[in-house]
Amino acid sequence: MRVKEGNKEIDIIEAAVKVFAKYGYHNSKISKIAETANVATGSVYVYYKNKEDILLKIFSDLWTKLYDELDLIVSNTSLSSIEKLDAMIDLIFDVFSEEPSLALVFVNEQNHLEQSNKKGFTNYYEKFLDRGEEIIKKGIDEGLISENIDLTIFRNFVFGAIRHLVHCWARDPKTFTINKTRMNVKLFIKHGIAK
Amino acid sequence: MRVKEGNKEIDIIEAAVKVFAKYGYHNSKISKIAETANVATGSVYVYYKNKEDILLKIFSDLWTKLYDELDLIVSNTSLSSIEKLDAMIDLIFDVFSEEPSLALVFVNEQNHLEQSNKKGFTNYYEKFLDRGEEIIKKGIDEGLISENIDLTIFRNFVFGAIRHLVHCWARDPKTFTINKTRMNVKLFIKHGIAK
DNA sequence: TTTATTTTTGAATCATCATTCAATAAAGAC
DNA sequence: GTCTTTATTGAATGATGATTCAAAAATAAA
Protein backbone atom coordinates (compact mmCIF):
# COMPACT_ATOMS: atom_id res chain seq x y z
CA MET A 1 0.00 0.00 0.00
CA ARG A 2 0.94 3.55 -0.45
CA VAL A 3 -0.26 6.46 1.64
CA LYS A 4 -1.05 9.98 0.50
CA GLU A 5 1.62 12.56 1.15
CA GLY A 6 0.17 15.82 2.42
CA ASN A 7 -3.27 16.87 1.24
CA LYS A 8 -3.26 17.44 -2.48
CA GLU A 9 -7.00 17.97 -2.55
CA ILE A 10 -6.60 21.14 -0.52
CA ASP A 11 -3.36 22.20 -2.19
CA ILE A 12 -5.09 22.12 -5.56
CA ILE A 13 -7.99 24.25 -4.37
CA GLU A 14 -5.68 26.82 -2.83
CA ALA A 15 -3.61 26.94 -5.98
CA ALA A 16 -6.72 27.24 -8.12
CA VAL A 17 -7.95 30.23 -6.12
CA LYS A 18 -4.66 32.00 -6.76
CA VAL A 19 -4.55 31.13 -10.43
CA PHE A 20 -8.20 31.94 -11.12
CA ALA A 21 -7.77 35.25 -9.29
CA LYS A 22 -4.77 36.17 -11.37
CA TYR A 23 -5.83 35.06 -14.85
CA GLY A 24 -9.59 34.58 -14.65
CA TYR A 25 -11.23 31.18 -14.92
CA HIS A 26 -11.15 30.84 -18.68
CA ASN A 27 -7.55 31.89 -19.04
CA SER A 28 -6.35 29.59 -16.29
CA LYS A 29 -4.63 26.41 -17.40
CA ILE A 30 -4.90 23.21 -15.44
CA SER A 31 -1.18 22.80 -15.90
CA LYS A 32 -0.64 26.14 -14.17
CA ILE A 33 -2.83 25.15 -11.26
CA ALA A 34 -0.96 21.89 -10.95
CA GLU A 35 2.39 23.66 -11.05
CA THR A 36 1.25 26.12 -8.38
CA ALA A 37 0.07 23.26 -6.19
CA ASN A 38 3.36 21.36 -6.69
CA VAL A 39 1.55 18.48 -8.24
CA ALA A 40 1.50 16.83 -11.65
CA THR A 41 -1.16 17.82 -14.16
CA GLY A 42 -2.72 14.40 -14.01
CA SER A 43 -3.12 14.54 -10.25
CA VAL A 44 -5.65 17.31 -10.59
CA TYR A 45 -7.96 14.84 -12.30
CA VAL A 46 -7.55 12.33 -9.53
CA TYR A 47 -9.17 14.75 -7.14
CA TYR A 48 -11.54 16.69 -9.38
CA LYS A 49 -13.69 15.62 -12.27
CA ASN A 50 -12.78 18.60 -14.39
CA LYS A 51 -11.95 22.28 -14.36
CA GLU A 52 -15.46 23.46 -13.56
CA ASP A 53 -15.62 21.02 -10.69
CA ILE A 54 -12.75 22.88 -9.05
CA LEU A 55 -14.57 26.20 -9.32
CA LEU A 56 -17.67 24.55 -7.94
CA LYS A 57 -15.77 23.33 -4.91
CA ILE A 58 -14.35 26.78 -4.24
CA PHE A 59 -17.79 28.31 -4.25
CA SER A 60 -19.57 25.64 -2.29
CA ASP A 61 -16.91 25.85 0.43
CA LEU A 62 -17.24 29.61 0.49
CA TRP A 63 -21.01 29.74 0.71
CA THR A 64 -21.13 26.94 3.22
CA LYS A 65 -18.81 28.86 5.49
CA LEU A 66 -20.71 32.12 5.02
CA TYR A 67 -24.02 30.43 5.66
CA ASP A 68 -22.89 28.73 8.83
CA GLU A 69 -21.52 31.95 10.26
CA LEU A 70 -24.60 33.92 9.31
CA ASP A 71 -26.68 31.29 11.03
CA LEU A 72 -24.89 32.00 14.27
CA ILE A 73 -25.60 35.69 13.93
CA VAL A 74 -29.27 35.26 13.13
CA SER A 75 -29.88 32.90 16.01
CA ASN A 76 -28.08 35.12 18.50
CA THR A 77 -30.98 36.37 20.58
CA SER A 78 -28.97 39.05 22.33
CA LEU A 79 -28.66 41.16 19.17
CA SER A 80 -31.24 43.56 17.75
CA SER A 81 -32.14 43.33 14.09
CA ILE A 82 -30.04 46.35 13.31
CA GLU A 83 -27.08 44.87 15.12
CA LYS A 84 -27.53 41.63 13.19
CA LEU A 85 -27.56 43.54 9.95
CA ASP A 86 -24.28 45.17 10.90
CA ALA A 87 -22.83 41.83 11.93
CA MET A 88 -23.76 40.34 8.58
CA ILE A 89 -21.93 43.09 6.77
CA ASP A 90 -18.91 42.61 9.00
CA LEU A 91 -19.01 38.89 8.33
CA ILE A 92 -18.74 39.29 4.59
CA PHE A 93 -15.92 41.79 4.78
CA ASP A 94 -14.09 39.64 7.33
CA VAL A 95 -14.24 36.50 5.24
CA PHE A 96 -12.79 38.20 2.22
CA SER A 97 -10.33 40.50 3.95
CA GLU A 98 -8.30 37.44 4.87
CA GLU A 99 -8.15 36.25 1.27
CA PRO A 100 -8.07 38.86 -1.49
CA SER A 101 -7.66 36.16 -4.12
CA LEU A 102 -10.82 34.46 -3.02
CA ALA A 103 -12.56 37.81 -3.19
CA LEU A 104 -11.55 38.24 -6.80
CA VAL A 105 -12.69 34.78 -7.77
CA PHE A 106 -15.95 35.31 -5.92
CA VAL A 107 -16.71 38.48 -7.83
CA ASN A 108 -15.48 37.48 -11.24
CA GLU A 109 -16.63 33.91 -11.58
CA GLN A 110 -19.85 33.48 -9.66
CA ASN A 111 -21.91 34.29 -12.74
CA HIS A 112 -20.37 31.42 -14.66
CA LEU A 113 -21.72 28.91 -12.24
CA GLU A 114 -25.10 30.58 -12.15
CA GLN A 115 -25.21 30.35 -15.93
CA SER A 116 -24.25 26.70 -16.09
CA ASN A 117 -26.83 26.45 -13.34
CA LYS A 118 -25.01 24.11 -11.04
CA LYS A 119 -26.93 23.33 -7.92
CA GLY A 120 -25.00 22.39 -4.80
CA PHE A 121 -23.59 25.86 -4.66
CA THR A 122 -26.66 27.80 -5.74
CA ASN A 123 -28.38 26.11 -2.83
CA TYR A 124 -26.09 27.61 -0.25
CA TYR A 125 -25.99 30.98 -1.93
CA GLU A 126 -29.78 31.23 -1.97
CA LYS A 127 -30.00 29.96 1.56
CA PHE A 128 -27.56 32.63 2.66
CA LEU A 129 -29.65 35.38 1.11
CA ASP A 130 -32.83 33.92 2.56
CA ARG A 131 -31.32 33.84 6.01
CA GLY A 132 -30.19 37.44 5.65
CA GLU A 133 -33.67 38.40 4.60
CA GLU A 134 -35.03 37.04 7.85
CA ILE A 135 -33.10 39.71 9.69
CA ILE A 136 -34.85 42.42 7.74
CA LYS A 137 -38.28 40.86 8.16
CA LYS A 138 -37.80 40.71 11.91
CA GLY A 139 -36.65 44.31 11.90
CA ILE A 140 -39.82 45.37 10.13
CA ASP A 141 -41.98 43.44 12.61
CA GLU A 142 -40.17 45.14 15.46
CA GLY A 143 -40.74 48.55 13.90
CA LEU A 144 -37.04 49.22 13.46
CA ILE A 145 -37.04 49.00 9.68
CA SER A 146 -39.32 50.74 7.21
CA GLU A 147 -42.17 48.58 5.93
CA ASN A 148 -42.15 50.18 2.47
CA ILE A 149 -39.29 48.17 1.10
CA ASP A 150 -39.37 45.25 -1.29
CA LEU A 151 -37.32 42.54 0.36
CA THR A 152 -36.20 40.82 -2.81
CA ILE A 153 -35.01 44.07 -4.30
CA PHE A 154 -33.34 45.10 -1.08
CA ARG A 155 -31.36 41.95 -0.61
CA ASN A 156 -30.06 42.08 -4.14
CA PHE A 157 -29.31 45.75 -3.77
CA VAL A 158 -27.14 45.07 -0.76
CA PHE A 159 -25.56 41.96 -2.22
CA GLY A 160 -24.57 43.75 -5.42
CA ALA A 161 -23.22 46.76 -3.60
CA ILE A 162 -21.06 44.75 -1.23
CA ARG A 163 -19.85 42.44 -3.93
CA HIS A 164 -18.64 45.32 -6.01
CA LEU A 165 -16.95 47.02 -3.09
CA VAL A 166 -15.18 43.80 -2.15
CA HIS A 167 -13.99 43.68 -5.73
CA CYS A 168 -12.71 47.26 -5.63
CA TRP A 169 -10.93 46.55 -2.40
CA ALA A 170 -9.33 43.31 -3.64
CA ARG A 171 -7.97 45.06 -6.70
CA ASP A 172 -6.70 48.07 -4.84
CA PRO A 173 -6.53 47.62 -1.06
CA LYS A 174 -4.82 50.99 -0.58
CA THR A 175 -7.69 53.10 -1.88
CA PHE A 176 -10.36 51.06 -0.15
CA THR A 177 -9.61 50.50 3.48
CA ILE A 178 -11.75 47.64 4.67
CA ASN A 179 -12.82 49.48 7.78
CA LYS A 180 -13.76 52.71 6.13
CA THR A 181 -15.62 50.77 3.49
CA ARG A 182 -17.64 48.70 5.90
CA MET A 183 -18.52 51.74 8.00
CA ASN A 184 -19.78 53.61 4.99
CA VAL A 185 -21.79 50.62 3.83
CA LYS A 186 -23.53 50.34 7.18
CA LEU A 187 -24.32 54.02 7.08
CA PHE A 188 -25.69 53.96 3.52
CA ILE A 189 -27.87 50.97 4.16
CA LYS A 190 -29.40 52.32 7.33
CA HIS A 191 -29.74 56.00 6.62
CA GLY A 192 -29.01 56.71 3.00
CA ILE A 193 -27.20 59.85 2.02
CA ALA A 194 -29.86 62.54 2.14
CA LYS A 195 -29.76 65.02 4.98
CA MET B 1 -16.76 48.57 -57.91
CA ARG B 2 -19.06 46.89 -55.54
CA VAL B 3 -21.11 48.54 -52.84
CA LYS B 4 -21.86 47.21 -49.34
CA GLU B 5 -25.28 45.66 -48.90
CA GLY B 6 -26.90 46.73 -45.62
CA ASN B 7 -24.68 47.40 -42.63
CA LYS B 8 -22.81 44.30 -41.60
CA GLU B 9 -20.79 46.17 -39.03
CA ILE B 10 -23.93 46.85 -37.02
CA ASP B 11 -25.50 43.47 -37.75
CA ILE B 12 -22.45 41.75 -36.30
CA ILE B 13 -22.54 43.81 -33.11
CA GLU B 14 -26.22 43.17 -32.60
CA ALA B 15 -25.72 39.47 -33.18
CA ALA B 16 -22.76 39.41 -30.83
CA VAL B 17 -24.78 40.99 -28.03
CA LYS B 18 -27.38 38.26 -28.38
CA VAL B 19 -24.85 35.46 -28.56
CA PHE B 20 -22.66 36.75 -25.73
CA ALA B 21 -25.76 37.20 -23.58
CA LYS B 22 -26.89 33.66 -24.22
CA TYR B 23 -23.64 31.72 -23.96
CA GLY B 24 -21.20 34.08 -22.23
CA TYR B 25 -18.21 35.57 -24.01
CA HIS B 26 -15.88 32.60 -23.73
CA ASN B 27 -18.44 30.06 -24.86
CA SER B 28 -19.52 32.13 -27.85
CA LYS B 29 -18.21 31.03 -31.23
CA ILE B 30 -17.43 33.50 -33.97
CA SER B 31 -19.23 31.17 -36.36
CA LYS B 32 -22.37 31.47 -34.22
CA ILE B 33 -22.19 35.24 -34.22
CA ALA B 34 -21.72 35.21 -38.00
CA GLU B 35 -24.66 32.87 -38.45
CA THR B 36 -26.86 35.06 -36.22
CA ALA B 37 -25.85 38.13 -38.22
CA ASN B 38 -26.53 36.34 -41.55
CA VAL B 39 -22.96 36.78 -42.59
CA ALA B 40 -20.05 34.48 -43.38
CA THR B 41 -17.54 33.71 -40.66
CA GLY B 42 -14.81 35.51 -42.56
CA SER B 43 -16.83 38.70 -42.81
CA VAL B 44 -16.61 39.18 -39.09
CA TYR B 45 -12.87 39.68 -39.49
CA VAL B 46 -13.37 42.26 -42.21
CA TYR B 47 -15.08 44.49 -39.70
CA TYR B 48 -13.39 43.56 -36.43
CA LYS B 49 -9.82 42.69 -35.60
CA ASN B 50 -10.75 39.77 -33.38
CA LYS B 51 -13.27 38.49 -30.87
CA GLU B 52 -12.25 40.79 -28.07
CA ASP B 53 -12.48 43.75 -30.40
CA ILE B 54 -16.19 43.04 -30.77
CA LEU B 55 -16.72 43.05 -27.03
CA LEU B 56 -14.74 46.26 -26.80
CA LYS B 57 -16.98 47.93 -29.36
CA ILE B 58 -20.11 46.86 -27.49
CA PHE B 59 -18.83 48.40 -24.28
CA SER B 60 -17.44 51.56 -25.75
CA ASP B 61 -20.75 52.21 -27.53
CA LEU B 62 -22.61 51.58 -24.31
CA TRP B 63 -20.51 53.81 -22.10
CA THR B 64 -20.36 56.54 -24.70
CA LYS B 65 -24.11 56.63 -24.83
CA LEU B 66 -24.46 56.56 -21.05
CA TYR B 67 -21.89 59.28 -20.62
CA ASP B 68 -23.48 61.59 -23.16
CA GLU B 69 -26.89 61.24 -21.59
CA LEU B 70 -25.55 61.73 -18.09
CA ASP B 71 -23.83 64.85 -19.29
CA LEU B 72 -27.19 66.32 -20.29
CA ILE B 73 -28.57 65.59 -16.84
CA VAL B 74 -25.64 67.06 -14.95
CA SER B 75 -25.63 70.25 -16.99
CA ASN B 76 -29.37 70.75 -16.64
CA THR B 77 -29.49 73.75 -14.33
CA SER B 78 -33.19 73.40 -13.62
CA LEU B 79 -32.72 70.22 -11.59
CA SER B 80 -31.69 69.96 -7.95
CA SER B 81 -28.90 67.56 -7.01
CA ILE B 82 -31.39 65.10 -5.65
CA GLU B 83 -33.40 65.24 -8.86
CA LYS B 84 -30.24 64.71 -10.86
CA LEU B 85 -29.40 61.67 -8.77
CA ASP B 86 -32.84 60.24 -9.51
CA ALA B 87 -32.47 61.05 -13.19
CA MET B 88 -29.16 59.22 -13.30
CA ILE B 89 -30.74 56.12 -11.84
CA ASP B 90 -33.59 56.34 -14.32
CA LEU B 91 -31.10 56.71 -17.14
CA ILE B 92 -29.34 53.47 -16.35
CA PHE B 93 -32.53 51.50 -15.99
CA ASP B 94 -33.92 53.02 -19.18
CA VAL B 95 -30.90 52.14 -21.26
CA PHE B 96 -31.00 48.52 -20.24
CA SER B 97 -34.75 48.04 -20.08
CA GLU B 98 -34.84 48.31 -23.85
CA GLU B 99 -32.19 45.63 -24.28
CA PRO B 100 -32.09 42.78 -21.78
CA SER B 101 -29.35 41.06 -23.76
CA LEU B 102 -27.13 44.09 -23.50
CA ALA B 103 -27.79 44.15 -19.77
CA LEU B 104 -26.57 40.59 -19.43
CA VAL B 105 -23.42 41.26 -21.41
CA PHE B 106 -22.80 44.41 -19.41
CA VAL B 107 -22.97 42.58 -16.12
CA ASN B 108 -21.20 39.39 -17.08
CA GLU B 109 -18.35 40.60 -19.25
CA GLN B 110 -17.28 44.02 -18.05
CA ASN B 111 -14.70 42.49 -15.74
CA HIS B 112 -12.95 40.77 -18.63
CA LEU B 113 -12.17 44.04 -20.26
CA GLU B 114 -11.07 45.60 -17.01
CA GLN B 115 -8.71 42.69 -16.51
CA SER B 116 -7.20 42.84 -19.98
CA ASN B 117 -7.07 46.53 -19.16
CA LYS B 118 -8.21 47.89 -22.46
CA LYS B 119 -8.45 51.62 -22.51
CA GLY B 120 -10.92 53.26 -24.87
CA PHE B 121 -13.75 51.80 -22.89
CA THR B 122 -12.31 52.19 -19.41
CA ASN B 123 -11.99 55.85 -20.25
CA TYR B 124 -15.68 56.34 -20.76
CA TYR B 125 -16.63 54.16 -17.84
CA GLU B 126 -14.42 56.17 -15.47
CA LYS B 127 -15.64 59.42 -16.93
CA PHE B 128 -19.20 58.32 -16.34
CA LEU B 129 -18.56 57.60 -12.68
CA ASP B 130 -16.66 60.86 -12.27
CA ARG B 131 -19.53 62.82 -13.76
CA GLY B 132 -21.98 61.07 -11.46
CA GLU B 133 -19.78 61.92 -8.51
CA GLU B 134 -20.09 65.61 -9.38
CA ILE B 135 -23.78 65.39 -8.64
CA ILE B 136 -23.10 64.18 -5.13
CA LYS B 137 -20.40 66.78 -4.49
CA LYS B 138 -22.77 69.54 -5.53
CA GLY B 139 -25.44 68.08 -3.29
CA ILE B 140 -23.09 68.17 -0.33
CA ASP B 141 -22.15 71.78 -1.05
CA GLU B 142 -25.81 72.69 -1.21
CA GLY B 143 -26.44 70.99 2.12
CA LEU B 144 -28.81 68.43 0.62
CA ILE B 145 -26.52 65.45 1.07
CA SER B 146 -24.67 64.34 4.18
CA GLU B 147 -21.01 65.38 4.31
CA ASN B 148 -19.94 62.24 6.16
CA ILE B 149 -19.78 60.00 3.13
CA ASP B 150 -16.73 58.80 1.24
CA LEU B 151 -17.43 59.61 -2.39
CA THR B 152 -15.36 56.83 -3.87
CA ILE B 153 -17.00 54.25 -1.70
CA PHE B 154 -20.43 55.67 -2.36
CA ARG B 155 -20.16 55.67 -6.11
CA ASN B 156 -19.01 52.09 -6.16
CA PHE B 157 -21.69 51.13 -3.70
CA VAL B 158 -24.36 52.50 -6.01
CA PHE B 159 -22.76 51.18 -9.16
CA GLY B 160 -22.51 47.66 -7.76
CA ALA B 161 -26.04 47.68 -6.42
CA ILE B 162 -27.59 48.86 -9.66
CA ARG B 163 -25.49 46.54 -11.77
CA HIS B 164 -26.62 43.53 -9.81
CA LEU B 165 -30.27 44.57 -9.91
CA VAL B 166 -30.09 45.09 -13.64
CA HIS B 167 -28.72 41.59 -13.83
CA CYS B 168 -31.51 40.14 -11.73
CA TRP B 169 -34.04 41.91 -13.86
CA ALA B 170 -32.52 40.76 -17.15
CA ARG B 171 -32.57 37.16 -16.03
CA ASP B 172 -36.06 37.26 -14.66
CA PRO B 173 -38.08 40.30 -15.74
CA LYS B 174 -41.26 38.98 -14.10
CA THR B 175 -39.92 39.02 -10.54
CA PHE B 176 -38.15 42.36 -10.93
CA THR B 177 -40.40 44.99 -12.41
CA ILE B 178 -38.21 47.78 -13.67
CA ASN B 179 -40.36 50.44 -12.10
CA LYS B 180 -40.63 48.91 -8.68
CA THR B 181 -36.91 48.26 -8.74
CA ARG B 182 -35.94 51.78 -9.64
CA MET B 183 -38.28 53.26 -7.05
CA ASN B 184 -36.81 51.11 -4.32
CA VAL B 185 -33.28 51.97 -5.39
CA LYS B 186 -33.99 55.68 -5.18
CA LEU B 187 -35.48 55.19 -1.75
CA PHE B 188 -32.59 53.11 -0.42
CA ILE B 189 -29.99 55.53 -1.68
CA LYS B 190 -31.60 58.59 -0.26
CA HIS B 191 -33.02 57.39 3.01
CA GLY B 192 -31.79 53.91 3.78
CA ILE B 193 -34.07 51.42 5.43
CA ALA B 194 -34.01 52.37 9.09
CA LYS B 195 -37.09 54.01 10.55
C1' DT C 1 13.36 -8.77 0.14
C1' DT C 2 9.40 -9.43 -2.59
C1' DT C 3 4.69 -8.55 -3.60
C1' DA C 4 0.41 -6.15 -3.74
C1' DT C 5 -1.89 -2.03 -3.63
C1' DT C 6 -2.52 2.79 -4.16
C1' DT C 7 -0.74 7.23 -5.55
C1' DT C 8 1.45 10.05 -8.70
C1' DT C 9 3.17 11.29 -13.01
C1' DG C 10 3.44 13.96 -17.51
C1' DA C 11 3.71 13.05 -22.36
C1' DA C 12 0.34 11.92 -25.91
C1' DT C 13 -4.26 12.49 -27.50
C1' DC C 14 -8.06 14.86 -29.17
C1' DA C 15 -11.46 18.27 -29.75
C1' DT C 16 -12.37 22.84 -30.17
C1' DC C 17 -12.47 27.12 -32.28
C1' DA C 18 -10.18 31.68 -33.64
C1' DT C 19 -8.18 33.32 -37.51
C1' DT C 20 -6.56 33.39 -42.41
C1' DC C 21 -6.73 33.69 -47.30
C1' DA C 22 -7.41 32.15 -52.00
C1' DA C 23 -11.42 32.00 -54.58
C1' DT C 24 -15.89 33.89 -55.91
C1' DA C 25 -19.50 37.27 -56.48
C1' DA C 26 -21.43 41.66 -57.13
C1' DA C 27 -21.65 46.38 -58.78
C1' DG C 28 -20.33 50.37 -61.23
C1' DA C 29 -17.46 52.43 -64.98
C1' DC C 30 -16.51 52.31 -69.64
C1' DG D 1 -20.82 43.20 -72.63
C1' DT D 2 -16.18 43.57 -70.46
C1' DC D 3 -13.21 45.24 -66.98
C1' DT D 4 -11.91 46.81 -62.43
C1' DT D 5 -12.50 47.21 -57.89
C1' DT D 6 -14.31 46.00 -53.63
C1' DA D 7 -17.17 42.89 -50.73
C1' DT D 8 -18.06 38.43 -49.33
C1' DT D 9 -17.29 33.75 -48.63
C1' DG D 10 -16.28 29.39 -45.95
C1' DA D 11 -13.06 25.59 -46.05
C1' DA D 12 -8.35 24.91 -44.39
C1' DT D 13 -4.94 26.01 -40.95
C1' DG D 14 -2.88 26.13 -36.63
C1' DA D 15 -2.68 26.86 -31.77
C1' DT D 16 -4.26 25.94 -27.61
C1' DG D 17 -5.19 23.42 -23.63
C1' DA D 18 -8.46 20.03 -21.26
C1' DT D 19 -8.38 15.36 -20.44
C1' DT D 20 -6.58 10.54 -20.55
C1' DC D 21 -3.91 6.61 -19.39
C1' DA D 22 -0.06 3.52 -19.34
C1' DA D 23 3.94 3.59 -16.84
C1' DA D 24 6.63 4.67 -12.61
C1' DA D 25 7.12 5.38 -7.73
C1' DA D 26 6.08 4.92 -3.04
C1' DT D 27 4.47 2.44 0.88
C1' DA D 28 2.95 -1.42 3.80
C1' DA D 29 2.32 -6.13 4.45
C1' DA D 30 4.07 -10.67 4.00
Side-chain angles (χ1 to χ4, degrees):
Chain A
M1 247 243 289
R2 183 183 177 181
V3 114
K4 292 184 188 179
E5 8 162 316
N7 190 328
K8 298 206 183 343
E9 198 169 336
I10 290 176
D11 292 347
I12 290 166
I13 287 295
E14 286 175 353
V17 169
K18 284 184 205 156
V19 175
F20 289 161
K22 184 161 177 189
Y23 303 100
Y25 176 74
H26 284 286
N27 296 316
S28 296
K29 304 175 204 169
I30 296 290
S31 58
K32 184 74 184 177
I33 294 172
E35 184 196 318
T36 307
N38 288 313
V39 142
T41 305
S43 295
V44 173
Y45 288 87
V46 172
Y47 295 95
Y48 299 96
K49 193 154 55 66
N50 53 34
K51 193 175 169 184
E52 193 181 46
D53 195 36
I54 300 173
L55 190 60
L56 209 53
K57 183 68 161 63
I58 293 172
F59 273 94
S60 80
D61 283 357
L62 171 62
W63 283 112
T64 302
K65 178 175 177 179
L66 281 168
Y67 180 82
D68 290 344
E69 303 246 13
L70 180 58
D71 194 49
L72 292 179
I73 293 170
V74 175
S75 4
N76 184 335
T77 50
S78 69
L79 297 175
S80 75
S81 294
I82 297 289
E83 285 168 332
K84 285 180 185 173
L85 187 55
D86 283 349
M88 182 177 82
I89 293 164
D90 284 334
L91 164 63
I92 299 174
F93 281 108
D94 287 342
V95 165
F96 290 117
S97 67
E98 292 156 18
E99 290 185 77
S101 293
L102 184 60
L104 284 173
V105 176
F106 162 64
V107 173
N108 288 321
E109 317 301 346
Q110 166 130 357
N111 291 338
H112 284 300
L113 291 182
E114 287 181 58
Q115 263 182 337
S116 55
N117 201 35
K118 299 289 169 189
K119 293 301 169 194
F121 113 90
T122 306
N123 264 356
Y124 267 103
Y125 161 50
E126 286 293 333
K127 276 175 69 184
F128 179 88
L129 291 186
D130 285 346
R131 208 91 177 84
E133 195 173 299
E134 282 176 36
I135 297 175
I136 310 300
K137 273 192 195 132
K138 197 95 173 292
I140 294 174
D141 287 346
E142 290 166 354
L144 295 170
I145 291 175
S146 162
E147 65 280 356
N148 298 322
I149 70 176
D150 181 295
L151 289 176
T152 305
I153 295 173
F154 176 71
R155 80 188 206 176
N156 283 290
F157 177 89
V158 172
F159 178 74
I162 294 182
R163 180 161 85 158
H164 187 63
L165 283 170
V166 165
H167 190 200
C168 292
W169 164 76
R171 278 187 308 188
D172 181 8
K174 279 168 236 87
T175 311
F176 293 81
T177 317
I178 280 274
N179 272 332
K180 208 163 82 179
T181 305
R182 84 170 80 195
M183 275 172 46
N184 269 268
V185 168
K186 289 175 189 174
L187 183 73
F188 298 153
I189 289 176
K190 279 182 282 190
H191 306 295
I193 61 166
K195 246 189 189 164
Chain B
M1 249 241 291
R2 182 182 177 182
V3 114
K4 291 183 189 177
E5 11 165 314
N7 190 328
K8 298 206 182 341
E9 198 168 336
I10 291 177
D11 292 346
I12 291 166
I13 287 294
E14 287 175 352
V17 168
K18 283 183 207 158
V19 175
F20 289 162
K22 184 162 177 187
Y23 303 100
Y25 176 74
H26 284 286
N27 297 316
S28 296
K29 305 174 201 169
I30 295 291
S31 58
K32 184 73 183 177
I33 294 172
E35 183 196 318
T36 307
N38 289 313
V39 142
T41 304
S43 295
V44 173
Y45 287 87
V46 172
Y47 295 94
Y48 299 96
K49 194 154 53 64
N50 53 36
K51 193 175 167 184
E52 194 182 46
D53 194 35
I54 300 173
L55 190 60
L56 210 53
K57 183 66 161 61
I58 292 172
F59 273 94
S60 82
D61 283 357
L62 172 63
W63 283 112
T64 303
K65 178 175 177 178
L66 281 168
Y67 179 81
D68 290 344
E69 303 245 13
L70 181 59
D71 194 49
L72 292 179
I73 293 169
V74 175
S75 6
N76 184 337
T77 50
S78 69
L79 297 176
S80 76
S81 293
I82 297 289
E83 285 168 331
K84 285 179 186 174
L85 186 55
D86 283 348
M88 183 177 82
I89 292 163
D90 284 333
L91 164 62
I92 299 174
F93 281 107
D94 287 341
V95 165
F96 291 117
S97 68
E98 291 155 18
E99 289 186 77
S101 294
L102 184 60
L104 284 173
V105 176
F106 162 64
V107 172
N108 288 321
E109 317 300 345
Q110 166 129 357
N111 292 337
H112 283 300
L113 291 182
E114 286 179 60
Q115 263 182 337
S116 55
N117 202 33
K118 298 290 169 186
K119 295 298 170 197
F121 112 90
T122 306
N123 263 355
Y124 266 103
Y125 161 51
E126 286 293 334
K127 276 176 68 184
F128 179 88
L129 291 186
D130 285 345
R131 208 92 177 82
E133 195 173 298
E134 283 178 33
I135 297 174
I136 310 300
K137 272 192 196 132
K138 196 94 174 293
I140 293 174
D141 288 348
E142 291 166 355
L144 295 171
I145 291 175
S146 162
E147 65 279 357
N148 299 323
I149 69 176
D150 180 294
L151 289 176
T152 305
I153 294 173
F154 176 70
R155 82 188 204 176
N156 284 291
F157 176 88
V158 172
F159 178 74
I162 293 182
R163 181 161 83 157
H164 186 64
L165 284 170
V166 165
H167 191 201
C168 292
W169 164 78
R171 278 187 307 187
D172 182 7
K174 281 168 234 88
T175 310
F176 292 81
T177 317
I178 280 274
N179 273 331
K180 208 163 82 179
T181 304
R182 83 171 79 197
M183 275 172 47
N184 269 271
V185 168
K186 289 175 188 173
L187 183 73
F188 299 152
I189 289 177
K190 278 181 284 190
H191 307 294
I193 62 165
K195 248 190 187 163

